[in-house]
Amino acid sequence: MTVENKSVGLLDRFSLSGRRALVTGGNRGLGLAFVRGLAQAGAEVAFVARDHERNNLALEELANEGIAAIAFDADITEKSQIEDSIDWASEALGGIDILVNNAGACFHADAFDVPDDEWDAVFDLNVKALFHCSVAVARRMAKSGGGSIVNIGSMSGLIVNRPQNQPAYNASKAAVHQLTKSLAAEWAQYGVRVNAVAPGYVRTEMAPVDRPEFKRFWIEDAPLGRVATPDEIAPSVVFLASDASSFITGSVLVADGGYTAW
Ligand code: NDP
C-alpha cells in the first residue's frame, strides 16, 4: 500500500457521508458555518431557527454554493416546537445521527443590573433548550444505535470575559460544559457521544468584535492576536461529529486562538 492510500483511510473517518445532521440556530453566524461544514463533509443537513426570512436567505446562500440544506422555523425555547422540529427533521432526513446545539444568546450587563427576563432568556436558550433538544434527539439515537451530539459552549465557560460583564452568559456556558460531561457519561451505554466546542471570539452578529473599546481585551489578549471567522470553528464540529473522534466523549474542545492560555 502506498503512503497516499493509507492517508485516504484516515481521512475517511472524518467523512460524514450518509449521516443526517440537525443544527439549531443555523441561519447565520457560527450555525450557518456548521451547516455548510457538515454538508461539505458529506452529511445531509437540516437546521432550525426562528426567523423565516433569514432561514430562506441562508438556504439561498447555501444553494448558490451548491449545498442543499433544509430549514424549519421554530423557537426552541418552546418545548412543543422542539418536538415539532425533531419530528420534522427525522422525517425529512430519515433519522438524525448528529445534533449540533448551537443556538445561543448573550447580554452584557453588570451583575447588579441583570434583569430577570435577560437572565431567564439566556438560561432558557443556552441551557434548557439545549438540554431538551439533546434529550429528544438522544432518545431516537438510542433506539437507532447511537449518534453524536456537539454542544457549542464557549471560552466564557472557562474564563471571565472583560471589559464587558456578562454573568448570565458565563454561567450558562459553564453549565453547557458540565452538562456535556454529564450526558456523555449517561448516554455512552447507548452509543451516543456528547462533546462540546468552546470557541473564543468569533466575528458574528453576537460578538461586536470591531468595536474599538474591545480591541485591547478581545484581540490583544489572544496569543494569535485576532478573532476567528465562523468557518475556522466548523472543522472542530465536523471532527467531533465524525468517527474520527470515536473515542472522545465528554470533552470540551477549546478553539480560542490561545485566549485561555494567558
Ligand atoms: P448569532 O447571534 O449570530 O446567531 C444565533 C443563532 O441562534 C441564529 O441563527 C438565531 O436565529 C438562533 N436562535 C436564537 N434564538 C433562538 C431560538 N429561541 N430558537 C431557535 N433559534 C434561535 O450567534 P453566534 O453565531 O455568534 O453564536 C452561535 C453559538 O456560538 C452560541 O451558542 C454562542 O453562545 C456561541 N459562541 C459564540 C461566540 C462568538 O464570539 N460569536 C464565542 C463563543 C461561543 P433566529 O434569531 O432566527 O432564531
Side-chain angles (χ1 to χ4, degrees), residues 29-30 33-34 201-204 226-235:
L30 281 159
F34 300 154
Y201 289 110
V202 186
R203 185 180 301 281
T204 69
R226 63 178 181 83
V227 299
T229 54
D231 64 291
E232 289 184 278
I233 309 299

Side-chain angles (χ1 to χ4, degrees), residues 25-31 48-51 74-77 102-104 125 152-154 169 173 199-202 204-207:
N27 67 12
R28 62 173 192 258
L30 281 159
V48 294
R50 295 165 303 177
D51 186 329
D75 179 346
I76 59 165
T77 60
N102 162 76
L125 181 61
I152 306 307
S154 171
Y169 183 81
K173 291 300 183 176
Y201 289 110
V202 186
T204 69
E205 285 178 29
M206 177 188 281

Side-chain angles (χ1 to χ4, degrees), residues 159-231:
I159 52 100
V160 175
N161 303 68
R162 57 182 184 161
Q164 80 285 10
N165 291 316
Q166 45 184 55
Y169 183 81
N170 296 348
S172 77
K173 291 300 183 176
V176 168
H177 296 174
Q178 187 61 5
L179 185 57
T180 297
K181 292 172 194 287
S182 184
L183 298 179
E186 193 173 327
W187 294 341
Q189 62 185 314
Y190 305 120
V192 177
R193 293 186 299 111
V194 188
N195 290 290
V197 174
Y201 289 110
V202 186
R203 185 180 301 281
T204 69
E205 285 178 29
M206 177 188 281
V209 295
D210 294 318
R211 277 176 37 191
E213 70 269 32
F214 293 146
K215 185 167 177 281
R216 156 67 190 86
F217 299 102
W218 291 20
I219 313 282
E220 291 172 19
D221 271 356
L224 284 186
R226 63 178 181 83
V227 299
T229 54
D231 64 291

Side-chain angles (χ1 to χ4, degrees), residues 19-23 86 90 95-101 133-151 187-194 240-241:
R19 307 286 163 91
R20 290 99 17 127
L22 174 64
V23 178
I86 289 163
S90 294
I96 301 176
D97 308 296
I98 297 160
L99 169 67
V100 181
N101 281 309
C133 287
S134 300
V135 169
V137 171
R139 267 192 221 288
R140 292 165 190 264
M141 288 175 168
K143 282 188 192 139
S144 64
S148 175
I149 297 177
V150 183
N151 295 325
W187 294 341
Q189 62 185 314
Y190 305 120
V192 177
R193 293 186 299 111
V194 188
L240 291 175

Side-chain angles (χ1 to χ4, degrees), residues 16-52:
L16 297 179
S17 181
R19 307 286 163 91
R20 290 99 17 127
L22 174 64
V23 178
T24 68
N27 67 12
R28 62 173 192 258
L30 281 159
L32 179 54
F34 300 154
V35 171
R36 181 182 287 114
L38 292 163
Q40 287 172 340
E44 285 183 70
V45 191
F47 69 83
V48 294
R50 295 165 303 177
D51 186 329
H52 181 70

